[in-house]
Amino acid sequence: MLAKIEIEETRDTPFIIFDPENNHFTISGNSLPEDATRFFTPVFEWVEEYIQNPNNSTHINCELEYFNSSSAKMLYELFFQFQELSKKGFEVKVLWHYEPGDKLIEEKGSEFQTVLDIPFEMIEKE
């Protein structure tokens, strides 16, 4: 089984853990890295490998508080990669968490949901 990828959170980068053994996939915190492509490249490479032998079900928890436009592009590309699993018949779902009243994050999740062919569950935090 593919080893997990875990990237610790900083002030400008999100916490990411994709752990197939425990079926735990989470992105949380803030994402405004100076070079979003460089930051996300290892994650894209990991997902490329994961989709060769995925779990039957992959639920991605997104608990982002803020992300910039370059991160939004990277998130779209990441979700697009996971969409490939859905096309192969595997269950894929994004659980999009947002704070009550945070219309910006809520709307971004809705935008992703509109342009991608994977289910999004919009979850307002309590």
Side-chain angles (χ1 to χ4, degrees), residues 35-75:
D35 185 344
T37 302
R38 193 173 105 228
F39 176 79
F40 279 96
T41 293
V43 180
F44 294 149
E45 291 170 352
W46 187 94
V47 173
E48 277 297 314
E49 203 170 327
Y50 174 71
I51 63 177
Q52 303 307 312
N53 187 23
N55 295 346
N56 289 329
S57 169
T58 304
H59 293 178
I60 305 137
N61 283 291
C62 279
E63 301 178 24
L64 290 164
E65 296 166 17
Y66 177 81
F67 55 93
N68 61 13
S69 58
S70 58
S71 291
K73 183 176 188 251
M74 297 296 109
L75 289 169

Side-chain angles (χ1 to χ4, degrees), residues 111-123:
E111 286 175 28
F112 284 133
Q113 185 176 26
T114 302
V115 297
L116 291 159
D117 195 22
I118 53 176
F120 271 67
E121 185 175 330
M122 304 299 288
I123 301 169

